[in-house]
Amino acid sequence: MEDNMKHLLEELSDAPMLRKLKSNLSNESKDEYFRELPEKVDEKLSLSEELKEAPSLQELQTAYRLRPDTPQGYFEKKAQEMADLISDEEVIGSNSLLMNLKKEETANVPEGYFEQFPQKLDLADDPKIIPFKKRPLRWMSAVAAAVVLLVSTIWWFSQPASSSSEMADISHDELMAVLELEGYDSYDLVEILGEDAILETENLLDDELSEEEQLEEVLLDELDFSDLELDEYIEIE
Amino acid sequence: MVATEESIIVDQLKNPELRSAAFNTVVRKYQRMLYFHIRRLVGTHEDADDVLQNTFLKAWRAIDRFRADSSLKTWLYKIATNEALSHIQKRAKRSFTDIEDLQNDLRHSLSGGTYLDGDEIQMKLQRAVEALPERQKLVFSLRYFEELKYDEISSILEVSVGALKASFHHAVKKVEKSLTEES
């Protein structure tokens, strides 16, 4: 046996890492391990015998469940938490790199960000937005009209003088469909256009004063074009 | 029955006079965990900040529709997840790239050290997670980093617990493999 190990180590002479690893498991340590093994097995066996005589977890649960101060669903919740914990360790492996990295938070966050964040949320100035489905049709028309005018205006200013006005052919419905398809919902549109602009457009429609110049005036007063990246839609159309 | 902290906050959110102060408590309580969840999905601080603000604004607008049959935390995670995914999609469309390309960009930007504290193994972990498919990354992030329970993730993503466990298992295998290959 000893000869065999000697030969093996000689064969590994060109592989220092493997040789070192093999050498670490010396005959002496192996002998010690096997000498202690029966005792360790006995210890584990006697412990499991003791556990057999202990009250079962089920009995303990029942006893505690009868106590009036035990919150309802306590054991079910604990059991789920334990199951989650066990399954995590089983899945990840307690000694794996992943398990060791688990607790560390690595993103760089500007100093004081979380202290200042709640103040940044200006809920008081947030427009009271009514979801699209609850809005009257008139309101939706105003939004569509505002969007069409906005796009037309941007497009008109971005084109050479000789270009033909293809934008005039796009219906309100088509434009709204494109915007929705591209991920803009009613909240985004109202945020981009501003509720006041929409309401003003709505009033103009009510008064049958939907001339393009007047609507355009409202929009130009109310809107910040830098908020809206509509170049891609114009190119698509 | 003793009222929990959450049930007190939920009651206050229903009271118009206390609503604003209660919502401020909600923001302070959940901002940090939501931020890191969003940040893992969108990458940069600026984007995470935008998405976090939108998350709380949408929660504020929809507070009347919150039903106590889910927890506030689960509800907020759901809004944050949807907002982050929607943000990623919009960003991809605006730059005329698909989400796969965006993920590649994000992986490359990570090595620039803008996101991490310089710990190499952490950077490898982030890169490995970024390389996961979108849905698997979500599941991995919610379970591994956020330590949410499977039933919570199930209500956020509307996926069965069994499917989540399978997805997490696959994600863990991929990430662990990637870590050991690289190190």
Side-chain angles (χ1 to χ4, degrees):
Chain A
M1 197 73 169
E2 279 182 21
D3 280 348
N4 188 35
M5 180 55 75
K6 197 178 166 185
H7 289 311
L8 182 58
L9 290 174
E10 279 172 8
E11 285 164 29
L12 293 173
S13 59
D14 290 336
M17 279 298 288
L18 280 175
R19 188 184 162 97
K20 193 179 171 191
L21 286 169
K22 199 74 193 169
S23 302
N24 284 345
L25 193 62
S26 67
N27 284 339
E28 194 182 334
S29 62
K30 273 196 289 186
D31 288 346
E32 190 182 350
Y33 171 76
F34 285 113
R35 206 168 37 242
E36 290 174 355
L37 187 62
E39 201 178 331
K40 283 182 183 166
V41 172
D42 277 351
E43 266 178 38
K44 295 215 178 218
L45 283 174
S46 67
L47 188 66
S48 68
E49 284 302 312
E50 282 170 33
L51 281 176
K52 272 184 191 168
E53 288 168 20
S56 71
L57 277 177
Q58 192 65 43
E59 283 168 342
L60 277 173
Q61 270 199 14
T62 312
Y64 272 95
R65 210 188 288 271
L66 294 173
R67 288 180 56 162
D69 57 343
T70 307
Q72 201 177 5
Y74 174 80
F75 288 106
E76 288 74 10
K77 197 174 161 220
K78 279 283 160 209
Q80 184 57 50
E81 282 174 11
M82 288 297 289
D84 284 349
L85 193 68
I86 290 166
S87 68
D88 244 15
E89 284 192 354
E90 277 175 357
V91 171
I92 297 176
S94 56
N95 293 320
S96 71
L97 270 173
L98 270 179
M99 208 64 188
N100 295 332
L101 288 169
K102 201 168 186 321
K103 292 290 172 191
E104 294 179 40
E105 203 61 77
T106 54
N108 290 323
V109 185
E111 204 177 330
Y113 173 72
F114 291 114
E115 287 72 26
Q116 290 156 14
F117 181 80
Q119 280 92 52
K120 252 180 22 179
L121 272 183
D122 198 354
L123 302 174
D125 289 344
D126 188 40
K128 292 175 185 62
I129 291 172
I130 312 158
F132 243 160
K133 284 175 189 168
K134 291 184 186 171
R135 293 177 193 280
L137 189 63
R138 187 166 52 89
W139 218 96
M140 289 173 71
S141 302
V143 173
V147 171
V148 168
L149 272 166
L150 172 66
V151 176
S152 308
T153 308
I154 298 170
W155 182 87
W156 192 86
F157 281 115
S158 68
Q159 295 302 304
S162 59
S163 295
S164 61
S165 180
E166 290 165 4
M167 281 298 291
D169 297 335
I170 304 167
S171 73
H172 293 183
D173 288 346
E174 282 168 342
L175 188 60
M176 290 304 289
V178 169
L179 288 173
E180 284 200 26
L181 200 67
E182 295 296 315
Y184 284 92
D185 60 16
S186 56
Y187 293 118
D188 294 325
L189 292 177
V190 175
E191 271 172 8
I192 291 165
L193 297 167
E195 189 158 35
D196 290 344
I198 303 293
L199 287 171
E200 207 156 334
T201 313
E202 185 186 7
N203 292 336
L204 286 168
L205 288 176
D206 269 359
D207 298 340
E208 296 179 352
L209 294 171
S210 54
E211 284 87 359
E212 202 165 298
E213 292 82 8
Q214 286 170 297
L215 288 170
E216 194 173 309
E217 197 178 319
V218 172
L219 291 167
L220 288 169
D221 284 346
E222 300 288 340
L223 301 179
D224 177 3
F225 287 122
S226 62
D227 284 347
L228 196 58
E229 296 176 23
L230 283 168
D231 292 354
E232 59 192 88
Y233 305 116
I234 294 163
E235 285 172 22
I236 289 165
E237 295 300 327
Chain B
M1 191 171 163
V2 184
T4 61
E5 186 193 356
E6 170 145 334
S7 67
I8 294 169
I9 292 176
V10 170
D11 283 346
Q12 289 175 345
L13 286 170
K14 288 175 186 163
N15 182 337
E17 286 176 15
L18 303 174
R19 179 173 293 177
S20 186
F23 194 76
N24 190 273
T25 308
V26 171
V27 172
R28 288 179 188 280
K29 185 175 166 68
Y30 293 107
Q31 59 174 350
R32 192 176 288 267
M33 60 177 81
L34 291 175
Y35 171 86
F36 285 113
H37 170 56
I38 294 166
R39 177 85 185 259
R40 284 186 196 97
L41 297 174
V42 299
T44 68
H45 168 73
E46 287 70 25
D47 284 355
D49 183 38
D50 278 352
V51 174
L52 186 64
Q53 289 186 50
N54 285 341
T55 298
F56 281 119
L57 286 175
K58 286 208 171 167
W60 172 250
R61 289 167 187 154
I63 204 73
D64 287 332
R65 297 201 294 275
F66 171 69
R67 298 284 171 265
D69 51 1
S70 71
S71 72
L72 262 176
K73 186 170 91 171
T74 309
W75 186 63
L76 288 170
Y77 264 107
K78 190 168 187 168
I79 298 174
T81 303
N82 290 338
E83 281 297 300
L85 291 178
S86 159
H87 181 87
I88 292 167
Q89 280 164 359
K90 281 182 190 176
R91 193 169 59 182
K93 277 173 187 164
R94 271 203 276 269
S95 56
F96 293 100
T97 54
D98 62 25
I99 286 177
E100 291 294 318
D101 289 341
L102 213 63
Q103 285 178 330
N104 284 334
D105 290 348
L106 189 56
R107 276 201 292 283
H108 287 126
S109 75
L110 288 175
S111 56
T114 53
Y115 182 60
L116 300 161
D117 283 324
D119 187 337
E120 197 184 344
I121 192 70
Q122 286 289 349
M123 198 163 79
K124 283 176 182 170
L125 173 62
Q126 293 298 332
R127 276 208 299 259
V129 175
E130 274 307 319
L132 294 173
E134 198 59 40
R135 208 69 182 166
Q136 222 170 50
K137 183 166 74 172
L138 255 179
V139 175
F140 183 86
S141 178
L142 289 168
R143 184 75 190 119
Y144 178 78
F145 292 116
E146 310 303 322
E147 300 177 6
L148 296 190
K149 300 182 190 95
Y150 281 112
D151 57 354
E152 289 177 320
I153 305 172
S154 174
S155 27
I156 293 168
L157 301 181
E158 295 172 1
V159 177
S160 74
V161 169
L164 287 173
K165 285 184 176 175
S167 178
F168 184 61
H169 178 71
H170 289 305
V172 164
K173 278 175 78 173
K174 283 185 198 170
V175 174
E176 184 76 16
K177 185 166 180 270
S178 174
L179 282 176
T180 47
E181 274 175 357
E182 282 191 48
S183 50

